[in-house]
Amino acid sequence: LAIGFTPGTGTVKVTATAAFSPTSLTISGIATQNLTLTLSAITPTALTINLSSDNTGVATVPATATFAANTTTATVPVTSVAKGSATIHASLLPSIPDTTATVTVTSLGAITLPSNVTVGLGQSTPLTVTLSAAAPAGGVIVTLSSSDPSKVTVMPSSVTIAAGQTTPAVQPQISGINI
């Protein structure tokens, strides 16, 4: 206010930017990995921004991420759903423009079984189970079954392949039951 002048008003918009780190994330198999979302300035109070995935059939994120007061970073968990790619978006329009990160979900590999195995009637033989890539943290449980258990059985019905390994400690056995 100034004496003799008509009061004036104006609009002030406070803005910031956000960025994902890393800007590109690869997830092997079905798992959850984190992106870090960083603001361009410290937020004096808690701040919640919107998140989305453009392909929820490949990767999902929570609906929002919250920055605690006096911080510049928030963790964004990304959960893979299937092989493919998705773009993760974060924004609080109009104050914080959209920023993105690309997520690529790859398969863990393949389970390999021998073809044309022969087992004699009343006999058993090992069935070699192999992964094309090492098992991830936590290992892998491979479930096995026979397409015709009246002729061939598999025991046990599942094997565990430890993290970092490509084969189980003990291979399953197949048995010839009938011709």
Side-chain angles (χ1 to χ4, degrees):
L1 182 64
I3 297 175
F5 290 90
T6 304
T9 61
T11 303
V12 176
K13 182 169 93 172
V14 178
T15 64
T17 59
F20 279 113
S21 176
T23 57
S24 180
L25 178 66
T26 299
I27 302 175
S28 293
I30 306 304
T32 298
Q33 290 187 24
N34 293 328
L35 291 169
T36 300
L37 189 57
T38 303
L39 281 176
S40 58
I42 292 174
T43 178
T45 59
L47 177 68
T48 300
I49 69 169
N50 301 311
L51 301 173
S52 66
S53 168
D54 76 343
N55 191 347
T56 56
V58 171
T60 61
V61 291
T64 61
T66 301
F67 293 88
N70 300 310
T71 63
T72 59
T73 61
T75 299
V76 177
V78 180
T79 302
S80 60
V81 176
K83 185 178 175 182
S85 62
T87 301
I88 306 304
H89 295 265
S91 66
L92 186 60
L93 298 174
S95 300
I96 300 175
D98 187 53
T99 187
T100 62
T102 302
V103 175
T104 303
V105 178
T106 61
S107 67
L108 286 175
I111 300 168
T112 305
L113 300 172
S115 60
N116 301 319
V117 175
T118 301
V119 61
L121 184 60
Q123 301 292 311
S124 294
T125 190
L127 177 67
T128 304
V129 177
T130 306
L131 298 178
S132 62
V140 171
I141 296 173
V142 178
T143 302
L144 303 162
S145 65
S146 171
S147 63
D148 188 349
S150 69
K151 293 183 180 179
V152 176
T153 60
V154 182
M155 291 299 292
S157 60
S158 67
V159 292
T160 300
I161 301 176
Q165 302 301 308
T166 58
T167 59
V170 177
Q171 294 285 0
Q173 297 283 313
I174 56 172
S175 299
I177 304 299
N178 200 351
I179 297 178

